[in-house]
Amino acid sequence: MAAAKAPPPPISRPKHLSLRYHSRSRLGWLPAPKCPLTRGNPRLIFSFRNTAFYTEGAVIPRLERPEAEPDDIAILNERIRREHKRREGANNGSTMDSVEADKYIKLVREQQQRGLQKLKGDNKHGIAGGFGYQVDPYTLRPGDYVVHKKVGIGKFVAINFDAPKDSSSGPIEYVFIEYADGMAKLPVKQACRMLYRYNLPNETKKPRALSKLSDPTTWQRRRIKGKIAVQKMIVDLMELYLHRLKQKRPPYPKSPSMAEFAAQFPYKPTPDQKQAFIDVERDLTERETPMDRLICGDVGFGKTEVALRAIFCVVSARKQAMVLTPTIVLAKQHFVVISERFSQYPHIKVGMLSRFQTKTEKEEYISMIKSGHLDIIVGTHALLGNRVVYNNLGLLVVDEEQRFGVKQKEKIASFKTSVDVLTLSATPIPRTLYLALTGFRDASLISTPPPERVRIKTHLSSYNKEKVLSAIKFELDRGGQVFYVLPRIRGLEEVKDFLEDSFPNATVAIAHGKQYSKQLEETMEKFSLGEIKILICTNIVESGLDIQNANTIVVQDVHQFGLAQLYQLRGRVGRADKEAYAYLFYPDKSLLSDQATERLAAIEEYGDLGQGFNLAERDMGIRGFGNIFGEQQTGDIGNVGIDLFFEMLFESLSKVEENRLLSVPYNRVQLDINLKLRLSSEYITYLDNPLELIKEAEKAAENDMWSLIQFTEKFRQQYGKEPHSMELLLKRLYVRRMAADLGISKVYTGGKTVIMNTNMSKKVFKLMTESMTSDIYRNCLNFTGNEIKAELLLELPKEQLLHWIFQCLAEFYAVLPALVKYYCPDTWTLELTD
């Protein structure tokens, strides 16, 4: 359409109306949109979709006016559309058959019960023998923030004896807690049941404000927000893993070559290793759904061998396998190991991709991956780039998932709905551990050390130069090598100068992630060959480096490392049968935070081999389970603190089958409102085929809400905003559709009372009304028997009554997408708890 600076001259067009189109950006010709108001009135000026239209012969500027407010139907459509897009991104918009879903939920429940038992243990206070939520009051320090389940967030002051007013048995111990408007006390026994630590995902402990004893309603509202967030998290998990159930792939064939490949393993497998081999083989060769298994085991315990056998199974079926690592050092290590192991299979091609390669090398590898000429691809997060397109990806192996950033983890998660995934970790992040323990992920634990491995001796103390030099001298004198680790690049050169002066005959080198790839590769190569005796580095060596002759590690400023990092760093030594030592130094114990002190105590306590899983559980305790779903959940958890949040979460999981809200068929919903709808003859004439359109609208409403939304939006695009009578007709359809999805079979009135027959339980009704954003509808609704009743202030005319019912059900419906567990063509199913 050609633009012009001035309008073209009028053109005579007899027998029909011709309109000119004017906007700020262009002026040209446009076919007249269909509108009943223009018929027989060619001089009328009107506005359509925020654009001015006018009749031939004059240019009239567009009228500047605020956009019209969206109507009720448009607002509801937009809200549901946003939710639909979010879910479509999470599970490709597919539906789930309820029989399949029930089968999977049964499997999840069985594993979940084992996980819950392990987390809660036999001790209901969570002090020993298991993992609990409530805090032991005797472990609290003055100033610690705590959460009382019924009162809210306060600050622990002390435990003191006090005489109760109504007892002559003498003084008893009370826990004293400070709130915003006063001090409260409760017996220690009661505190064990009602108190939780207040922690947040980012490890800060300070809440926005303390609760008030005189205002319990504010705390109750915060608890309700937390409860709603819990339901959303459960639904997100359910939908993700139920969607995985629907994904089908043929089981991989078992072949004699798999046994031949396994026989090349030079060591005798431990019992745990054997079980992990069996678990993964069953996942791949007996199941039709993609694998998502966590292999948790210490460094050197055989996780890589489990991955190698899985890779061989997949590539033997002519599919690709991707091995994803957080660092170039670990990628190089895996590339060498995989290349050596597959050297006897020349038809299987192995390649490595990383950010350190030249542009030409990258382009070549990306092309080979796309064409299928590479069977096994090893690399860092460069493998997750949008330009990397896989020919036939079958398996993703993720090593040390906790080292990846949020965006990389989201990309990894996107693979899990379509390919088999194997995650390797010595100390899984709380999110991964949580998913495994609650049954949403399979897990195999390798905790038995190989026979030749011996315990690493761990020494934890304040920094002392003499201790450092003595530890290094001992290792060098017995012909070994030393790791010297700092938490930052700054300071590496100073340490190098110090050690070169102290050990002039030993070769000292530096390694960190900011070095050029060739320099870093050469340094690591020389260290692995024994040419470099002392390697001063950052935590770049945290994962994957296997140096048999390096059996002493010195970690400076140990308080700046996380618990999992410390465990991984310590695992760099002791890979052979020689006794290994880990020296962990902090500057001054008085400067350490409480959590840093707890981390150091934990790393010292868990010194035995094979305790990475236990350490990860301890990390969950120190951090209060961590943030398992990303930054968006921080505000929800912040309302009540992590520990109470997760208690609600686990309670909801354990009651997943107790409460269901089942929809009813659309054609069984009765809407008994005596409202007669009439379309004007002018509007009927305007519509192309009014009877067919109304039938199409009814059919869309009968199908599902999404079909009704699509019909309405398409109808408005073609004919513009409908008149009031047509809007009422559409609202009737929306009311019946929403009622069907909400389990409401009949809506009728009696005077000032609106009555809805429903199959929902009182618990479900309570949670849904608590979740409503509008007090207007929530406060007038009551639940008795199988009826929801609303008492109105006055008896409304029929049209206003329909509008009220539409808005009320829309408030209910706003809760529905957040709580739906799975959807199948005939049924929306909710799982709710109070």
Side-chain angles (χ1 to χ4, degrees), residues 84 87-97 239 242-244 246-247 822-824:
H84 180 84
R87 294 185 174 278
E88 191 176 41
N91 58 20
N92 299 326
S94 64
T95 58
M96 172 63 57
D97 180 77
E239 286 189 336
L242 291 174
H243 175 64
R244 286 179 61 82
K246 195 171 179 72
Q247 302 303 306
Y822 56 83
Y823 171 73
C824 54

Side-chain angles (χ1 to χ4, degrees), residues 98 102 656-666 668-669 737-746 757-761 764-765 768 816 819-824 826-832:
S98 59
D102 284 339
V656 72
E657 294 297 297
E658 285 187 9
N659 297 291
R660 286 190 173 187
L661 172 60
L662 299 177
S663 69
V664 296
Y666 175 83
R668 282 179 49 197
V669 177
R737 180 68 260 171
M738 287 189 288
D741 291 341
L742 291 164
I744 296 171
S745 56
K746 186 176 182 180
N757 292 345
T758 179
N759 62 22
M760 71 174 68
S761 68
V764 172
F765 171 79
M768 294 188 77
L816 182 65
L819 299 172
V820 65
K821 185 172 67 181
Y822 56 83
Y823 171 73
C824 54
D826 299 322
T827 306
W828 285 80
T829 306
L830 299 183
E831 55 97 28
L832 304 163

Side-chain angles (χ1 to χ4, degrees), residues 307-324:
L308 287 171
R309 297 188 187 191
I311 291 169
F312 183 82
C313 178
V314 169
V315 297
S316 296
R318 298 185 177 180
K319 286 198 171 186
Q320 292 173 307
M322 183 202 333
V323 181
L324 186 64

Side-chain angles (χ1 to χ4, degrees), residues 20-26 30 33 45-54 60-69 716-717 720-721:
R20 272 196 202 137
Y21 167 89
H22 179 269
S23 71
R24 286 180 174 177
S25 59
R26 61 186 180 179
L30 191 73
I45 301 166
F46 67 97
S47 177
F48 179 73
R49 289 188 172 272
N50 202 30
T51 303
F53 288 85
Y54 50 92
I60 301 175
R62 185 170 69 101
L63 295 176
E64 295 293 340
R65 65 180 66 185
E67 291 189 17
E69 288 292 323
R716 289 181 168 185
Q717 285 174 1
K721 176 68 175 73

Side-chain angles (χ1 to χ4, degrees), residues 748-755 790-792 794-796 798 801:
Y748 61 100
T749 61
K752 296 186 292 183
T753 306
V754 178
I755 304 158
E791 298 293 336
L792 308 182
L794 49 90
E795 189 172 349
L796 297 175
K798 300 302 181 183
L801 185 62

Side-chain angles (χ1 to χ4, degrees), residues 762-788:
K762 190 171 184 178
K763 288 183 178 180
V764 172
F765 171 79
K766 181 183 176 185
L767 183 59
M768 294 188 77
T769 50
E770 284 177 345
S771 306
M772 283 183 171
T773 56
S774 172
D775 292 336
I776 297 173
Y777 297 97
R778 177 172 55 239
N779 293 338
C780 70
L781 294 171
N782 293 294
F783 187 90
T784 54
N786 64 342
E787 293 180 341
I788 299 172

